[in-house]
Amino acid sequence: MKKFIILTLLASVFIHCSALTTGEAADSAYNKENYREAIELYTRSIAEDGMSANAYYNLGNAYFRNDNLGKAVVSYERALKLDPTDADARQNLEFVRSRIQDKPEDDTAFFARLHRSVMHTLKPDTWAWTAFGIFVLLMGAIALYIFSRNVPARKSGFFGGIVLLVLFVYTLATAYDSMASARSHESAVVTAPSTQLSSTPRASRTASDKVVTIHEGTKVEIVDSVATPDDPVSPKWYNVKINNGTKAWLRASDVERI
């Protein structure tokens, strides 16, 4: 009976350990430079253990080592959606972007770029707690202004309250934008070696169809989509935006949503 119990416990421990070794096996495959196997194992680890910034960071490294630049960009972008403060993922993403063929110019307005940079300094939850903390201070400043009989203290409460109100509104808006960015799936990355931007949601048929070729790793924003079940090339097309001034159609099968 004791032997049976011991064997059962050992078996349960073995099963439990096996369930926890997928990520370790992926790390081992990566260290052995078996990047295809590492990709499979990291992907399985994410499916089994859930999404995490570290898992997508490791997957991005494996894709990069396997020369899948588009998939590497997708993985790093997903890591940053989960943790915008991940400096390693951001550094690797910038390095991979320096290796891709297309480098669309960012024509976003200066203040929009500045806001985006500030937003990425903290996680969405941290922004929300920061807004809450500033709100508490704001209530304190209002109370100081209302109840204090000291004139300098009331002035401090008044002007400090104005500053805190501005900060509260900005941090609250930033927390909202950060959460919306984390939940958005409108960005995509070209994962095919190359694809064509077309003026219509179909393969180029005549010389009048404007076609531009873009390459693996290019990031696009999905504006709209249309199903084309009768199209032998692609059953679905995306209307995408590369920067604020360029919109076109491309095959949905050539990109992967972040």
Side-chain angles (χ1 to χ4, degrees):
M1 184 66 180
K2 285 185 177 180
K3 287 184 178 180
F4 176 76
I5 294 174
I6 292 172
L7 289 173
T8 303
L9 288 173
L10 288 173
S12 65
V13 169
F14 175 76
I15 293 171
H16 180 66
C17 290
S18 296
L20 298 176
T21 57
T22 306
E24 295 175 355
D27 291 338
S28 177
Y30 182 88
N31 291 331
K32 293 177 181 177
E33 299 185 2
N34 192 345
Y35 301 122
R36 288 188 180 181
E37 182 181 353
I39 289 169
E40 294 176 2
L41 290 170
Y42 281 132
T43 303
R44 190 192 309 170
S45 176
I46 292 171
E48 293 174 352
D49 303 327
M51 297 182 294
S52 71
N54 185 62
Y56 277 123
Y57 170 75
N58 290 333
L59 180 60
N61 291 340
Y63 272 127
F64 173 72
R65 293 294 185 180
N66 200 50
D67 292 327
N68 302 120
L69 299 187
K71 292 281 192 177
V73 171
V74 171
S75 299
Y76 291 138
E77 289 277 9
R78 287 174 176 168
L80 290 170
K81 282 173 75 77
L82 294 171
D83 182 6
T85 65
D86 190 332
D88 290 335
R90 192 169 299 282
Q91 182 178 4
N92 284 13
L93 175 60
E94 292 305 318
F95 176 75
V96 174
R97 281 177 174 166
S98 70
R99 301 283 297 274
I100 65 177
Q101 188 167 344
D102 300 320
K103 297 177 177 62
E105 182 180 356
D106 185 0
D107 57 357
T108 309
F110 170 76
F111 287 107
R113 291 200 305 271
L114 180 62
H115 172 66
R116 186 173 59 198
S117 299
V118 172
M119 183 178 69
H120 290 159
T121 59
L122 298 174
K123 297 180 182 180
D125 290 346
T126 307
W127 276 117
W129 280 109
T130 301
F132 177 75
I134 293 175
F135 177 76
V136 171
L137 293 175
L138 175 61
M139 292 300 99
I142 293 173
L144 182 64
Y145 173 74
I146 294 174
F147 298 110
S148 178
R149 295 182 180 180
N150 184 279
V151 175
R154 293 192 67 193
K155 287 184 177 180
S156 297
F158 178 78
F159 291 109
I162 292 175
V163 173
L164 288 170
L165 178 61
V166 172
L167 288 175
F168 171 68
V169 171
Y170 179 75
T171 52
L172 189 64
T174 304
Y176 176 81
D177 290 344
S178 183
M179 183 62 70
S181 177
R183 293 179 176 177
S184 173
H185 297 285
E186 299 308 308
S187 298
V189 175
V190 176
T191 53
S194 65
T195 188
Q196 292 182 335
L197 294 177
S198 176
S199 58
T200 57
R202 64 180 187 182
S204 176
R205 297 175 183 174
T206 64
S208 62
D209 291 335
K210 296 180 180 179
V211 174
V212 175
T213 301
I214 59 175
H215 301 84
E216 184 179 13
T218 304
K219 186 178 179 180
V220 299
E221 297 293 324
I222 299 174
V223 179
D224 197 4
S225 64
V226 62
T228 52
D230 298 329
D231 190 335
V233 177
S234 177
K236 190 175 184 179
W237 289 72
Y238 287 144
N239 186 223
V240 301
K241 179 171 64 174
I242 294 183
N243 50 42
N244 292 332
T246 304
K247 288 184 181 179
W249 293 91
L250 56 69
R251 292 186 291 267
S253 56
D254 288 342
V255 299
E256 184 172 341
R257 287 179 182 263
I258 297 173

